[in-house]
């Protein structure tokens, strides 16, 4: 049987547990008990493995999703993702897709930029995974690293898969920004919105996950649910529980979306 294998990377255990709860609640194989814990051979990482029920096509088993809490920030996310991907290859069980999943800050609708914004509690599927602070400050403002002649600052998820996940979850589609230092002022939020007028969410891991996936020529998605507005840090206004619940609900759709999405080779970004 052909088994689709998906690596889902979160920052922290609460996000990982929300993903597992959603996936296991929507098609986990009978008798699984939710997730199997699989220790990786390096880095002290552990995968939470959910084997989903087989779809109607008898020649294919249900997708297997390995969920990893890799740590906060793009560097930790890249390191954990790379470790899991390499371990899979060494075990003869490589992955077909990588997903960055978690909560994040939502941009307010932009009267000047025309951006649609993302409200607290909403779900976003990235159509672009953007490194928002990878570059240099200059007297004329910020320059992305690409304008300095290096690297990349955008990874593009497979459009058809983005649309399928968004349709199944009721999510909006738009850029998700990755920042090593999250926004804490209205002024910085306005600068980011001006540079990225379509941006919906700011988070800290997606670009690191995408870089590790790209190094192994694997497609990547990013799914975020919004816990707070981007801007001044007002912890009293954060709705982390609501966002984690939305994350579980969004991830509950993943097994059936992936089972219906065709062969993994069709998920490559053109």
């Amino acid at each position: 049987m052909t088994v689709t294998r998906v690596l889902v990377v979160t920052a922290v255990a609460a996000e990982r547990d929300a993903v597992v709860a959603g996936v296991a609640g929507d098609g986990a194989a009978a008798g699984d008990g939710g997730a199997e814990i699989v220790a990786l051979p390096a880095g002290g990482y552990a995968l939470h493995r959910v084997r989903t029920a087989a779809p109607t096509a008898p020649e294919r088993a249900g997708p297997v999703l390995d969920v990893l809490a890799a740590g906060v920030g793009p560097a930790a996310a890249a390191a954990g993702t790379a470790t899991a991907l390499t371990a899979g290859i060494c075990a003869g069980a490589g992955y077909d897709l990588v997903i960055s999943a978690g909560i994040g800050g939502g941009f307010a609708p932009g009267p000047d930029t025309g951006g649609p914004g993302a409200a607290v509690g909403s779900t976003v599927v990235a159509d672009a995974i953007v490194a928002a602070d990878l570059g240099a400050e200059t007297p004329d403002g910020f320059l992305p690293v690409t304008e300095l002649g290096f690297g990349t600052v955008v990874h593009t998820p497979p459009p058809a898969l983005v649309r399928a996940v968004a349709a199944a979850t009721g999510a909006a589609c738009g850029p998700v920004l990755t920042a090593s230092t999250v926004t804490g002022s209205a002024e910085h939020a306005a600068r980011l919105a001006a540079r990225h007028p379509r941006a919906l969410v700011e988070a800290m891991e997606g670009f690191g996950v995408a870089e590790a996936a790209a190094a192994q020529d694997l497609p990547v998605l990013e799914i975020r649910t919004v816990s707070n507005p981007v801007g001044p840090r007002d912890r009293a206004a954060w709705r982390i529980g609501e966002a984690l619940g939305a994350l579980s609900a969004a991830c509950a759709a993943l097994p059936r979306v992936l089972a219906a999405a065709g062969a993994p080779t069709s998920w490559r970004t053109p």
Side-chain angles (χ1 to χ4, degrees), residues 23-24 26-30 32 50-56 60-64 255-256 259:
V23 173
D26 186 60
D32 250 2
V50 181
R51 302 179 187 274
T52 65
T56 55
R60 298 188 67 198
V64 173
R256 62 179 181 270

Side-chain angles (χ1 to χ4, degrees), residues 155-180:
H155 289 285
T156 303
L161 203 52
V162 168
R163 291 191 296 269
V165 174
T169 59
C173 297
V176 173
L177 308 186
T178 299
S180 294

